[in-house]
Amino acid sequence: MSNFQEPKKQFEIPTEVFMDFLMTNGYLGKMKMFDVIELSKEDGYVRIPNLPTLTKEMILASLCSTKLSFTDLEEYLDNIVVMKSLIDLGIETPPLHKK
């Protein structure tokens, strides 16, 4: 038996997926893009680093100005996986518009 443990893979998701999650939760408004992407909502805004992928720490920092939690994001990602599985099995049809 070995004492070696594989390092835990760091959580990362594409920024586009995180932006979709925020937009699904009402953060639409005007989008400003520089070093930081800013999405607004009537009761606040969220700033996202303008990078191809985001770590858990970056996401948590972005979510601190919202009423959303990391658990909300995880549930959103789980739903995407389930919908993709249903589409792959032919049980559900894909959305009419593609990104």
Short mmCIF file of all heavy atoms in Angstrom, two decimals, residues 3 7 13 15 29 34 37 47 61 64 73 80-81 91 99:
data_model
loop_
_atom_site.label_atom_id
_atom_site.label_comp_id
_atom_site.label_asym_id
_atom_site.label_seq_id
_atom_site.Cartn_x
_atom_site.Cartn_y
_atom_site.Cartn_z
N ASN A 3 1.65 5.38 0.33
CA ASN A 3 1.20 6.59 1.02
C ASN A 3 0.98 7.73 0.05
O ASN A 3 0.54 8.80 0.44
CB ASN A 3 2.22 7.02 2.08
CG ASN A 3 2.21 6.07 3.27
OD1 ASN A 3 1.22 5.41 3.51
ND2 ASN A 3 3.32 6.02 3.98
N PRO A 7 -2.70 14.32 -6.36
CA PRO A 7 -3.20 15.65 -6.00
C PRO A 7 -4.60 15.86 -6.56
O PRO A 7 -4.93 15.41 -7.65
CB PRO A 7 -2.21 16.61 -6.67
CG PRO A 7 -1.46 15.80 -7.66
CD PRO A 7 -1.58 14.36 -7.25
N ILE A 13 -13.61 26.10 -14.71
CA ILE A 13 -14.63 26.06 -15.75
C ILE A 13 -14.36 27.20 -16.72
O ILE A 13 -13.75 28.21 -16.36
CB ILE A 13 -16.08 26.16 -15.21
CG1 ILE A 13 -16.31 27.49 -14.50
CG2 ILE A 13 -16.44 25.00 -14.34
CD1 ILE A 13 -17.77 27.75 -14.19
N THR A 15 -14.89 30.53 -18.66
CA THR A 15 -15.54 31.78 -18.28
C THR A 15 -16.92 31.89 -18.93
O THR A 15 -17.88 32.35 -18.32
CB THR A 15 -14.66 32.98 -18.68
OG1 THR A 15 -13.41 32.85 -18.00
CG2 THR A 15 -15.30 34.30 -18.33
N GLY A 29 -28.05 43.07 -18.21
CA GLY A 29 -27.69 44.47 -18.30
C GLY A 29 -26.62 44.78 -19.32
O GLY A 29 -26.48 44.13 -20.34
N PHE A 34 -13.01 44.66 -20.13
CA PHE A 34 -11.64 45.14 -20.15
C PHE A 34 -10.80 44.01 -19.56
O PHE A 34 -10.86 42.90 -20.06
CB PHE A 34 -11.50 46.44 -19.35
CG PHE A 34 -12.36 47.56 -19.92
CD1 PHE A 34 -13.56 47.91 -19.33
CD2 PHE A 34 -11.97 48.24 -21.06
CE1 PHE A 34 -14.35 48.92 -19.85
CE2 PHE A 34 -12.75 49.26 -21.60
CZ PHE A 34 -13.94 49.60 -20.99
N ILE A 37 -14.72 41.47 -16.76
CA ILE A 37 -16.04 41.51 -17.38
C ILE A 37 -17.03 41.88 -16.28
O ILE A 37 -17.01 41.28 -15.20
CB ILE A 37 -16.40 40.14 -17.98
CG1 ILE A 37 -15.39 39.74 -19.06
CG2 ILE A 37 -17.83 40.16 -18.55
CD1 ILE A 37 -15.49 38.30 -19.49
N ARG A 47 -18.31 41.17 -11.11
CA ARG A 47 -17.09 41.34 -11.90
C ARG A 47 -16.40 39.99 -12.03
O ARG A 47 -16.21 39.29 -11.04
CB ARG A 47 -16.15 42.34 -11.25
CG ARG A 47 -16.70 43.73 -11.30
CD ARG A 47 -15.73 44.72 -10.75
NE ARG A 47 -16.28 46.07 -10.92
CZ ARG A 47 -15.72 47.13 -10.46
NH1 ARG A 47 -14.59 47.05 -9.80
NH2 ARG A 47 -16.27 48.30 -10.66
N ALA A 61 -14.75 34.72 -5.40
CA ALA A 61 -14.53 36.16 -5.28
C ALA A 61 -15.58 36.93 -6.10
O ALA A 61 -16.08 37.97 -5.65
CB ALA A 61 -13.12 36.52 -5.74
N CYS A 64 -19.17 36.91 -4.41
CA CYS A 64 -19.36 37.58 -3.12
C CYS A 64 -20.22 38.83 -3.24
O CYS A 64 -20.82 39.25 -2.25
CB CYS A 64 -18.02 37.88 -2.45
SG CYS A 64 -17.10 39.21 -3.21
N LEU A 73 -24.00 27.35 -8.47
CA LEU A 73 -23.24 27.09 -9.69
C LEU A 73 -23.08 25.59 -9.91
O LEU A 73 -23.27 25.11 -11.03
CB LEU A 73 -21.87 27.77 -9.63
CG LEU A 73 -20.92 27.45 -10.79
CD1 LEU A 73 -21.50 27.91 -12.12
CD2 LEU A 73 -19.55 28.06 -10.54
N ILE A 80 -26.64 20.95 -16.52
CA ILE A 80 -26.08 20.93 -17.88
C ILE A 80 -25.67 19.51 -18.25
O ILE A 80 -25.97 19.04 -19.35
CB ILE A 80 -24.89 21.89 -18.01
CG1 ILE A 80 -25.37 23.34 -17.95
CG2 ILE A 80 -24.12 21.64 -19.31
CD1 ILE A 80 -24.25 24.36 -17.91
N VAL A 81 -25.01 18.81 -17.32
CA VAL A 81 -24.57 17.43 -17.58
C VAL A 81 -25.78 16.52 -17.83
O VAL A 81 -25.78 15.72 -18.76
CB VAL A 81 -23.72 16.91 -16.40
CG1 VAL A 81 -23.46 15.42 -16.53
CG2 VAL A 81 -22.40 17.67 -16.32
N ILE A 91 -33.40 11.37 -25.71
CA ILE A 91 -34.61 11.53 -24.91
C ILE A 91 -35.11 12.97 -24.97
O ILE A 91 -36.29 13.24 -24.94
CB ILE A 91 -34.34 11.12 -23.44
CG1 ILE A 91 -33.97 9.63 -23.40
CG2 ILE A 91 -35.52 11.42 -22.54
CD1 ILE A 91 -33.48 9.15 -22.07
N LYS A 99 -25.06 28.14 -29.66
CA LYS A 99 -24.11 29.21 -29.41
C LYS A 99 -22.91 29.09 -30.31
O LYS A 99 -22.50 28.13 -30.76
CB LYS A 99 -23.64 29.16 -27.96
CG LYS A 99 -24.79 29.47 -27.04
CD LYS A 99 -24.30 29.46 -25.64
CE LYS A 99 -25.47 29.74 -24.72
NZ LYS A 99 -25.14 29.78 -23.38
#
